[in-house]
């Protein structure tokens, strides 16, 4: 729960429920504000802007539903909207309940349903059902005062949450009945149990509502809706001792303006280029909707694709291009945002269920001391290559096994894709490699040629051809013929693991092992006819070779 804005540090415990927070807000001696919202999205925006409560405006909800503010939407349809708003937020919602959707009996049911949905309070106005917006026409008929008092009592008697608030809205000023009638009605509604009185006005100045407040004194909280007298400085309301100001419809109106502008521009331009920069990105929309939480929950609750899969990570080299940074530790142990690269890679693997992880150490091997990993050492690291390091872990390459460089970072979905792939030997290839290193083309190491290029419209394998196949993997492939860059991340099946072990043994026997890279190993396997499948990815990863990569890594996290 977010802290109640009025809770003093070390003060009494915060009220726990939304209704109790609305109650505290209405009763507080300071001026408080409720901001209009009309759906889950706008409600979230209101809470994100640090408003302590939400006004669920009848005008705005109707307008957002494409109907008029004349009870054209049924109360259960409004209730559906309120449920989304309440679920999307933690701050209390005061709902504009119009005239209560009927007589006392209808209101009783409404109040019970609102309590069930954790709506903090309702405001009802003393007009007739079906209502008309107060700013339309003149001298609208008012409800019989006694009948309205009965409605308030019925509402209070029906609330299942003891802190649920009922605000009585007095329309006497707008209907032209004058201050005395407004005060008479406010007094009656107060006596019937209303928790606060909303005195409404459609004048362009605040004179009549301030006159009301002066005459009313402090008999109970007074709420204002300064839609028409918006030019009145807020300090005037504060000085007058007003409880709460409602900014009643401004998100809905702002949304109409923004949507009309963007629509007409796209219609005119027949292009999105002119609007893209001034609207939130799709990524921002995902963040706004809390997609991170879902990804986290998926990791917690979905079966792990990597269960039973091992990993061998090659982390024997120093990373000399990083200079001083690797004077006393291998590059995989450089910290990015307070955690070594290798630890982050191990976290990603573990999150996907890959628990049996072996790291091949070499340079400054004592510095690779992460908990719960296996280590093997290539003590000849200074004179040997990646294949020799991998062969130090020969007996760990068993069953399904991920083989990766120890200095790469990637998003979880990349590992998911790789673990889901069915081939005996599968490599991940970045189809967007040109973007990754546009500023430093020399950094691209391992380009590949595949059986077909990446097709953005074909996210899964081609149903006719199956997965793309590796054709060539080398560091002398020209940019023109390349289909992507190998990430330094591969997976082998049990059969693939056996082939890798046999090939490493063959390389040891023919004397090529010591200087060979993983590229050489994979190339030899392909030369012998072994199929190597490709999982295409589109960015979302990086490796660390030079100091500038560390800055990218910080941004990546
Ligand atoms: C609403 O927001 O629907 C209101 C306030 O009832 S007003 O439109 O100002 O009457
Ligand atoms: Mg209304």
């Amino acid at each position: 729960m977010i802290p109640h804005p009025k809770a003093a540090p070390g003060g009494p415990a915060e009220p726990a429920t939304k209704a109790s927070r609305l109650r505290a807000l209405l009763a507080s001696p300071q001026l408080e504000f409720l901001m209009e919202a009309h759906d889950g999205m706008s409600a979230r925006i209101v809470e994100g802007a640090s408003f302590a409560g939400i006004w669920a405006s009848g005008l705005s909800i109707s307008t957002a539903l494409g109907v008029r503010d004349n009870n054209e939407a049924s109360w259960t349809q409004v209730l559906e909207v309120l449920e989304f708003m309440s679920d999307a937020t933690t701050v209390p919602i005061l709902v504009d309940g119009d005239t209560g959707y009927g007589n006392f009996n209808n209101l009783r049911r409404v109040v019970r349903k609102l309590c069930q949905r954790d709506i903090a309070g309702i405001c009802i106005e003393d007009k007739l059902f079906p209502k008309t917006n107060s700013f339309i026409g003149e001298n609208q008929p008012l409800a019989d005062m006694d009948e309205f008092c009965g409605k308030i009592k019925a509402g209070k008697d029906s609330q299942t949450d003891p802190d649920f608030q009922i605000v009585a809205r007095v329309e006497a000023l707008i209907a032209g009945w004058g201050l005395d009638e407004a005060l008479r009605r406010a007094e009656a509604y107060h006596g019937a149990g209303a928790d606060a009185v909303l005195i409404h006005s459609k004048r362009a100045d605040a004179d009549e509502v301030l006159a009301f407040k002066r005459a009313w004194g402090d008999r109970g909280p007074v709420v204002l809706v300064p839609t028409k007298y918006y030019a009145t400085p807020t300090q005037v309301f504060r000085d007058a001792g007003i409880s709460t100001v409602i900014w009643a419809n401004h998100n809905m109106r702002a949304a109409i303006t923004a949507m009309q502008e963007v629509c007409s521009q796209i219609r005119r331009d027949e292009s999105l280029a002119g609007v893209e920069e001034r609207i939130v990105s799709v990524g921002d929309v995902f963040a706004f909707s809390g997609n991170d939480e879902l990804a986290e929950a998926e990791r917690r609750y979905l079966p792990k694709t990597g269960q039973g899969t091992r990993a061998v990570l090659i982390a024997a080299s120093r990373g000399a291009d990083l200079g001083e940074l690797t004077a006393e530790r291998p590059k995989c142990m450089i910290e990015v945002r307070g955690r070594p690269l290798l630890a982050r890679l191990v976290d990603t693997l573990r999150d996907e269920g890959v628990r049996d992880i072996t790291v091949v150490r070499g340079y400054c091997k004592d510095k690779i001391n992460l908990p719960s990993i296996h280590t093997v050492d290539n003590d000849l690291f200074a004179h040997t290559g990646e294949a020799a390091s991998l062969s130090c872990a020969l007996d760990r390459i068993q069953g399904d096994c991920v083989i990766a460089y120890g200095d790469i970072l990637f998003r979880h979905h990349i590992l998911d894709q790789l673990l889901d792939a069915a081939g005996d030997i599968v490599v991940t290839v970045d189809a967007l490699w040109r973007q990754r290193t546009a500023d430093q083309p020399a950094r691209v190491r391992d380009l590949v040629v595949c059986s077909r290029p990446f097709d953005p419209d074909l996210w899964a394998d081609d149903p006719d051809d199956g997965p793309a196949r590796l054709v060539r993997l080398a560091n002398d492939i020209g940019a023109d013929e390349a289909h992507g860059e190998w990430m330094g991340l591969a997976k082998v099946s049990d059969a693939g693991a056996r082939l890798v072990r046999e090939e490493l043994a063959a390389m040891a026997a023919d004397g090529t092992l010591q200087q060979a890279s993983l590229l050489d190993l994979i190339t030899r396997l392909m030369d012998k006819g072994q199929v190597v499948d490709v999982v295409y990815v589109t960015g979302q990863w990086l490796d660390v070779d030079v100091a500038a990569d560390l800055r990218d890594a910080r941004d990546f996290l």
Side-chain angles (χ1 to χ4, degrees):
M1 195 178 94
I2 64 165
H4 185 269
K6 284 197 167 35
E14 285 172 18
T17 65
K18 289 183 180 179
S20 63
R21 291 161 73 191
L22 179 63
R23 178 191 194 137
L25 184 145
L26 288 170
S28 97
Q30 289 122 275
L31 182 64
E32 298 283 356
F33 302 93
L34 297 178
M35 179 69 194
E36 172 262 319
H38 49 273
D39 57 14
M41 179 177 79
S42 51
R44 274 197 182 198
I45 290 172
V46 170
E47 179 167 7
S50 301
F51 279 99
I54 293 170
W55 168 247
S57 154
L59 173 63
S60 300
I61 291 174
S62 302
T63 308
L65 291 173
V67 296
R68 287 162 293 212
D69 188 17
N70 290 69
N71 293 122
E72 288 185 347
S74 72
W75 72 267
T76 53
Q77 288 173 322
V78 173
L79 192 65
E80 288 282 301
V81 175
L82 294 171
E83 185 168 2
F84 277 104
M85 292 171 63
S86 181
D87 288 349
T89 51
T90 65
V91 291
I93 297 174
L94 175 63
V95 56
D96 173 2
D98 295 339
T99 58
Y101 309 107
N103 72 3
F104 79 95
N105 192 35
N106 302 93
L107 184 70
R108 291 198 298 184
R109 192 162 153 74
V110 171
V111 166
R112 282 199 296 269
K113 290 289 152 194
L114 291 177
C115 289
Q116 285 169 9
R117 280 156 176 79
D118 207 13
I119 307 298
I122 190 171
C123 174
I124 49 171
E125 61 200 60
D126 55 355
K127 296 197 311 216
L128 304 181
F129 179 89
K131 56 71 63 88
T132 300
N133 186 279
S134 301
F135 299 143
I136 294 176
E138 298 293 332
N139 306 110
Q140 290 188 26
L142 295 187
D144 173 80
M145 190 178 79
D146 293 332
E147 188 263 344
F148 197 71
C149 285
K151 201 182 261 187
I152 294 168
K153 283 198 191 98
K156 289 307 291 177
D157 287 345
S158 312
Q159 65 188 53
T160 51
D161 182 329
D163 294 317
F164 185 82
Q165 299 290 284
I166 295 190
V167 178
R169 167 165 154 180
V170 178
E171 289 280 316
L173 298 179
I174 291 195
W177 291 51
L179 182 59
D180 288 347
E181 178 65 9
L183 286 163
R184 196 172 75 89
R185 284 176 174 256
E187 185 63 52
Y189 304 159
H190 180 62
D195 298 289
V197 166
L198 188 159
I199 182 71
H200 209 12
S201 166
K202 61 175 180 178
R203 283 175 54 141
D205 59 64
D207 293 356
E208 64 180 4
V209 295
L210 294 174
F212 174 91
K213 174 67 177 96
R214 276 193 301 276
W216 177 254
D218 292 321
R219 272 177 275 189
V222 172
V223 180
L224 298 183
V225 183
T227 303
K228 294 286 180 182
Y229 47 98
Y230 61 85
T232 307
T234 300
Q235 189 59 36
V236 171
F237 307 137
R238 199 169 268 129
D239 293 344
I242 298 300
S243 152
T244 302
V245 159
I246 295 176
W247 311 123
N249 47 43
H250 300 76
N251 274 324
M252 176 270 292
R253 287 163 59 194
I256 290 178
T257 305
M259 288 193 261
Q260 283 175 335
E261 280 175 12
V262 98
C263 270
S264 54
Q265 181 163 357
I266 292 174
R267 177 83 182 92
R268 193 175 58 239
D269 297 352
E270 294 191 343
S271 163
L272 305 176
V275 302
E276 188 61 32
E277 290 303 312
R278 57 190 184 87
I279 57 180
V280 294
S281 69
V282 174
D284 290 343
V285 172
F286 295 149
F288 178 83
S289 302
N291 279 41
D292 282 0
E293 190 279 335
L294 178 58
E296 180 60 35
E298 283 173 351
R299 280 200 281 284
R300 213 170 323 128
Y301 300 124
L302 286 179
K304 311 271 196 258
T305 16
Q307 225 126 38
T309 303
R310 300 177 171 209
V312 175
L313 308 177
I314 301 171
S317 68
R318 167 176 172 178
D321 289 344
L322 287 154
E324 272 302 296
L325 284 170
T326 56
E328 287 174 2
R329 62 192 156 183
K331 70 171 164 180
C332 67
M333 293 306 286
I334 292 178
E335 293 195 355
V336 180
R337 292 198 188 275
R339 201 156 162 70
L341 280 167
L342 185 66
R344 293 189 180 276
L345 175 56
V346 165
D347 288 347
T348 305
L349 289 161
R350 290 227 170 96
D351 284 347
E352 298 302 318
V354 179
R355 305 218 173 270
D356 185 334
I357 299 171
T358 302
V359 177
V360 184
R361 309 185 299 184
Y363 177 74
C364 290
K365 63 183 183 185
D366 296 342
K367 295 287 163 58
I368 297 185
N369 54 2
L370 302 175
S372 342
I373 55 166
H374 306 285
T375 56
V376 294
D377 298 335
N378 175 10
D379 289 322
L380 300 176
F381 68 92
H383 311 286
T384 60
E386 298 151 1
S389 288
L390 185 61
S391 75
C392 295
L394 206 61
D395 62 344
R396 315 285 317 170
I397 310 171
Q398 306 276 353
D400 285 346
C401 183
V402 170
I403 298 172
Y405 296 145
D407 63 346
I408 56 175
L409 292 179
F410 47 81
R411 302 263 180 243
H412 285 87
H413 69 87
I414 290 182
L415 188 58
D416 266 346
Q417 273 177 268
L418 180 66
L419 294 170
D420 278 344
D424 284 330
I425 303 182
V426 189
V427 294
T428 49
V429 168
D430 182 6
L432 300 186
W433 60 281
R434 282 191 176 82
Q435 293 179 12
R436 194 172 82 83
T437 47
D439 48 337
Q440 292 158 287
R443 272 168 55 204
V444 175
R445 282 186 307 187
D446 307 331
L447 292 184
V448 302
V449 178
C450 304
S451 58
R452 58 177 153 79
F454 171 65
D455 178 354
D457 296 327
L458 188 72
W459 273 100
D461 300 332
D462 186 324
D464 299 326
D465 293 354
R469 302 267 158 86
L470 193 62
V471 174
R472 211 152 79 77
L473 166 63
N475 43 31
D476 63 351
I477 290 175
D480 304 345
E481 55 170 331
H483 290 132
E485 180 186 4
W486 182 42
M487 283 175 53
L489 174 65
K491 188 198 74 168
V492 293
S493 67
D494 190 35
R498 184 170 38 76
L499 292 170
V500 167
R501 289 196 308 272
E502 286 170 4
E503 200 55 39
L504 288 169
M507 290 164 85
D510 68 22
T512 53
L513 180 68
Q514 298 303 309
Q515 298 311 318
S517 65
L518 288 193
L519 273 61
D520 298 325
L521 169 66
I522 294 170
T523 302
R524 278 177 68 122
L525 287 163
M526 285 198 298
D527 288 348
K528 291 191 172 161
Q530 176 57 42
V531 169
V532 176
D533 288 344
V534 167
V535 165
Y536 273 121
V537 302
T538 51
Q540 306 288 316
W541 73 283
L542 54 83
D543 59 3
V544 172
D545 290 319
V546 294
D549 295 335
L550 290 170
R551 188 201 53 220
D552 293 348
R554 276 193 296 275
D555 293 346
F556 185 79
L557 297 168

